[in-house]
Amino acid sequence: MSARTALARFLGSRRWVMRLAPAIVRVDRHLHRLTAGRGTLLRLAGLPTVRLTTVGRRSGLRRETQLLCLPMPDAVVVVGSNWGRPRDPDWAHNLRARPDAAVTLDGARVPVRAWEVTGAEYERLWERLVRYWPGYGAEREWAGRPLPVFVLDFRRSA
């Protein structure tokens, strides 16, 4: 693990960093735009990311969000931590309403079919996610809710 990745993992479990979420998201959005999608704050830290594109469940408009992801064969896993806030992020509600979405991964836009993990599979995957990104454990505690976990499957896309 690189020093940048270790620092990101350390900072990712600090509450004061979560309070900076709006500024971090703005900077990341500008960085993404300036680098034509090749640069994000997480990527600079050596962490894999995807740009998730959903359709707004009420607006019907395209919505994009940059997310940390856990790569898996034929899929990526994302967590609806919402920076440790008490409610699920909008993108999670959008995926529940319309599971067909897209991710931009390494510059390529890929259609995906999302499914929310539950039960024993959730517990198994949650353990792996917290080892991967310890901040998820802190964010779940701060949020006071279970954090939704979604598999974005490349094989099941429409």
Side-chain angles (χ1 to χ4, degrees), residues 70-107:
L70 174 63
M72 298 180 74
D74 299 316
V76 293
V77 178
V78 293
V79 177
S81 66
N82 204 14
W83 298 82
R85 291 190 173 84
R87 70 180 212 66
D88 291 348
D90 289 339
W91 64 259
H93 297 293
N94 293 343
L95 284 180
R96 288 178 185 128
R98 295 182 182 171
D100 290 316
V103 295
T104 303
L105 183 64
D106 297 327

Side-chain angles (χ1 to χ4, degrees), residues 59-138:
S59 70
L61 299 174
R62 190 173 96 167
R63 304 291 185 197
E64 293 186 339
T65 308
Q66 195 73 30
L67 298 170
L68 174 66
C69 69
L70 174 63
M72 298 180 74
D74 299 316
V76 293
V77 178
V78 293
V79 177
S81 66
N82 204 14
W83 298 82
R85 291 190 173 84
R87 70 180 212 66
D88 291 348
D90 289 339
W91 64 259
H93 297 293
N94 293 343
L95 284 180
R96 288 178 185 128
R98 295 182 182 171
D100 290 316
V103 295
T104 303
L105 183 64
D106 297 327
R109 187 175 168 93
V110 179
V112 295
R113 177 103 179 158
W115 49 279
E116 190 168 358
V117 179
T118 60
E121 186 175 10
Y122 179 95
E123 296 305 321
R124 180 186 57 77
L125 198 49
W126 180 254
E127 299 276 331
R128 186 173 172 191
L129 285 161
V130 171
R131 280 193 311 273
Y132 175 71
W133 184 254
Y136 288 142

Side-chain angles (χ1 to χ4, degrees), residues 15-37:
R15 188 148 196 146
W16 65 269
V17 172
M18 299 303 114
R19 290 187 192 114
L20 298 174
I24 292 169
V25 169
R26 276 193 304 278
V27 168
D28 199 52
R29 188 175 297 126
H30 290 298
L31 182 59
H32 186 270
R33 193 174 306 127
L34 286 171
T35 64

